[in-house]
Every structure is written in structure tokens, then in C-alpha cells.
């Protein structure tokens, strides 16, 4: 009897692929390049963070994944299909608190896209809205109006609304940047708890190194303008309790060097993430 044939393990295909994407916008005087040939893959249940200084194009890149901005070069694919327009399979939570229509109650804000995009009945949408409001601790505020809520509570509603849509990728554009430090930490805790419960796929933009290490399990570092890939790091070993620890601080300092010191490893720009992967340690 012959030796058993070795089994070939096929890795699952990425859920989201950003392939050589350059993004540009036009001013009165000239065309400005926001990102240059950025590539990365996001797998199902990843918490993938785009990290870089202000002006590196990370928010523009998020908008391109959402379908709001068309690449001038390269392609974005979701489940192998080119992203050409916005869709309910990608839902964005923005930084601004006032992203909820003020004339609708909290419950109605969540119900509206469920009815319009998912075709739910009023009863189904109401039940779903209450389910996700309960997950973010706001079931008792279902019939309140947005102007009666704090900034952190408004962001919880926006997150509940996004999760209720059950998108293939949840896109978050610096959603906690305008919050005070204590509320920001609480929102990070709640986001991670929600992920532990539902294991959704997250693409998260921030310019905070500490937030990137806490929220993400993978981090893509983008150079100052125009944004190019500096490196990709794993950060799954860190959480909120890691802050202040020696390994956490050493990794934060290493990321700072990769982002801003062009003479260090990772300073050669325009390299794809897959060729520059480094383990955070």
C-alpha cells in the first residue's frame, strides 16, 4: 500500500482586494494624487486598520472602497467583483456625530435603511433595530431623537445602524476621533465586544498608533502624502489591557519610525503590502 498523498491546503480567497490603487482629486490649479499604487487584502472577520498621518489619503481610500470615489489607477474587488458604486454590502460610519437624520427617532434611523435597502417589513425592521440597539446598550433610547443624545451615544446608534445592515465589510472613518479620551476608550471596548460577538469584517481608519494597535489585528502603514504602503503588521496580540506594557510601547515606537523615518526599513515607498509584511513584536 502506497504512502498517502499529501493534502494541499488552499487558503481562502480575500474578501476585499485593493490592487495597485491610485486616487486623485482636482483643485482649481492642479490634479492632486492622494494615494499611489496601494495594495492590500482583507480577509473575512479581519479588523484591518489603515494607519497614517493626516493627508495620506486613508479616508479617501475608505471612500473608494465604499464606492464613492473611483480609482484613477488600479482596481478594488469585493468577493472578486469590481467595486463600481456604493452598495449595502459596504456601510460607512463617519467621524461626524450628526450623521443621523434629526427628524427620525433612534429606532427609525435604524429602520429606514433596513426597509429601503433590505426590503424588511416595518415589524421586521423594528425588531432588528431593537436587537442592535440592545447590543450597543441603547435599547432604552429607541424612541429618543438624536439631539437628545451625547456624541458617544450618537456614534453607538450609527454603529448599530451599520451592523443591522449586516454588510460584508463595515467601514469606519476615524469614528472616535472627536470623542473625549474616556468615551473613546469605552467605544473601543464596545466595538471589540461587538466584534467578538459577531466577527464582522472591519476596515478602520485612524491616525492614532495606539488606537490602531488596540482595534486592529492587521495594520497597513501609509506614508505621508501621497499615501504609499510602508509596511503591513500583525497586531492581534494587543488589546486595551496591553496599553502601557513594554511590548505595546516598543511596537508603537517601531510603527512611528516606519511611518516617519525614511532611512529605516520600510522607508522605501511604493512597495506593495504583501512584499512588506512584518510581524509586530
Amino acid at each position: 500500500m502506497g504512502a498517502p498523498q499529501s493534502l494541499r491546503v488552499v487558503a481562502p480567497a480575500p474578501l476585499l482586494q485593493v490592487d495597485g490603487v491610485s486616487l486623485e482629486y482636482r483643485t482649481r490649479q492642479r490634479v492632486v494624487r492622494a494615494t499611489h499604487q496601494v495594495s492590500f487584502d482583507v480577509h473575512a472577520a479581519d479588523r484591518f486598520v489603515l494607519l497614517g498621518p493626516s493627508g495620506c489619503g486613508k479616508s479617501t481610500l475608505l471612500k473608494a472602497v465604499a464606492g464613492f470615489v473611483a480609482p484613477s489607477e488600479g482596481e478594488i474587488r469585493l468577493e472578486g467583483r469590481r467595486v463600481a458604486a456604493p452598495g449595502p454590502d459596504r456601510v460607512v460610519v463617519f467621524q461626524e456625530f450628526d450623521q443621523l437624520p434629526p427628524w427620525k427617532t433612534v429606532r427609525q434611523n435604524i429602520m429606514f435603511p433596513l426597509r429601503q435597502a433590505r426590503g424588511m417589513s416595518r415589524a421586521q425592521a423594528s425588531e432588528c433595530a431593537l436587537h442592535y440597539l440592545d447590543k450597543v446598550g441603547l435599547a432604552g433610547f429607541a424612541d429618543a431623537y438624536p439631539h437628545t443624545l451625547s456624541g458617544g451615544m450618537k456614534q453607538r446608534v450609527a454603529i448599530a445602524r451599520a451592523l443591522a445592515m449586516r454588510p460584508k465589510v463595515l467601514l469606519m472613518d476615524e469614528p472616535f476621533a472627536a470623542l473625549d479620551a474616556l468615551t473613546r476608550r469605552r467605544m473601543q471596548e464596545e466595538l471589540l465586544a461587538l466584534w467578538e460577538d459577531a466577527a464582522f469584517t472591519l476596515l478602520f481608519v485612524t491616525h492614532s498608533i495606539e488606537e490602531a494597535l488596540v482595534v486592529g489585528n492587521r495594520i497597513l502603514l501609509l506614508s505621508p502624502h501621497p499615501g504609499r504602503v510602508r509596511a503591513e503588521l500583525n497586531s492581534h496580540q494587543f488589546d486595551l489591557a496591553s496599553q502601557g506594557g513594554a511590548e505595546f510601547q516598543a511596537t508603537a515606537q517601531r510603527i512611528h519610525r516606519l511611518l516617519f523615518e525614511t532611512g529605516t526599513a520600510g522607508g522605501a515607498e511604493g512597495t506593495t503590502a504583501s512584499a512588506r509584511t512584518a510581524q509586530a513584536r
Side-chain angles (χ1 to χ4, degrees):
M1 184 174 178
Q5 294 183 346
S6 61
L7 297 177
R8 182 181 177 186
V9 178
V10 179
L15 177 66
L16 174 70
Q17 296 168 290
V18 175
D19 187 8
V21 167
S22 298
L23 299 166
E24 297 176 340
Y25 61 91
R26 187 178 297 276
T27 67
R28 279 198 226 175
Q29 293 81 22
R30 61 195 179 101
V31 174
V32 178
R33 177 153 288 206
T35 67
H36 182 72
Q37 296 180 353
V38 172
S39 297
F40 60 88
D41 293 338
V42 178
H43 294 267
D46 263 348
R47 303 190 313 272
F48 196 95
V49 176
L50 301 177
L51 173 65
S54 296
C56 72
K58 55 190 181 297
S59 291
T60 307
L61 197 52
L62 193 85
K63 291 173 184 175
V65 173
F68 300 141
V69 178
S72 58
E73 180 182 15
E75 188 174 74
I76 300 171
R77 297 182 295 275
L78 182 64
E79 293 186 325
R81 294 185 292 275
R82 185 174 68 88
V83 169
D89 51 6
R90 288 149 288 133
V91 179
V92 185
V93 176
F94 296 100
Q95 178 179 340
E96 295 79 12
F97 295 153
D98 295 323
Q99 54 191 295
L100 305 171
W103 58 88
K104 293 182 181 293
T105 66
V106 165
R107 186 202 316 248
Q108 290 167 346
N109 263 284
I110 299 175
M111 289 175 60
F112 181 76
L114 293 173
R115 300 201 68 201
Q116 295 298 313
R118 295 298 188 199
M120 289 187 181
S121 68
R122 183 180 297 275
Q124 288 173 326
S126 179
E127 181 180 358
C128 186
L130 287 173
H131 173 74
Y132 282 95
L133 282 172
D134 183 61
K135 284 189 174 295
V136 298
L138 290 177
F141 292 85
D143 298 318
Y145 285 89
H147 75 273
T148 67
L149 306 180
S150 68
M153 292 168 75
K154 290 176 183 178
Q155 286 300 75
R156 289 191 211 173
V157 176
I159 293 170
R161 181 178 60 179
L163 291 176
M165 289 290 290
R166 300 178 68 91
K168 291 174 181 173
V169 184
L170 174 61
L171 308 172
M172 303 187 82
D173 188 7
E174 302 199 58
F176 311 142
L179 299 172
D180 65 83
L182 290 177
T183 306
R184 184 171 187 163
R185 181 182 174 91
R186 177 68 183 273
M187 293 298 295
Q188 291 166 351
E189 289 175 347
E190 292 183 356
L191 178 64
L192 293 172
L194 288 166
W195 183 87
E196 289 287 347
D197 181 58
F200 49 85
T201 304
L202 174 65
L203 183 61
F204 189 99
V205 164
T206 185
H207 62 262
S208 165
I209 293 174
E210 289 74 17
E211 182 168 69
L213 287 170
V214 165
V215 169
N217 68 331
R218 294 169 61 212
I219 305 172
L220 190 79
L221 309 184
L222 295 173
S223 70
H225 179 86
R228 306 170 189 245
V229 173
R230 279 282 172 86
E232 182 182 315
L233 302 97
N234 291 330
S235 56
H236 56 272
Q237 68 269 45
F238 298 120
D239 56 22
L240 282 160
S242 303
Q243 294 186 78
E247 184 182 6
F248 186 96
Q249 293 301 319
T251 303
Q253 292 169 12
R254 178 168 174 249
I255 289 173
H256 189 276
R257 291 194 299 270
L258 286 167
L259 286 174
F260 297 110
E261 296 179 16
T262 57
T264 60
E269 297 179 346
T271 311
T272 64
S274 59
R276 299 302 306 269
T277 300
Q279 297 293 323
R281 62 176 184 266

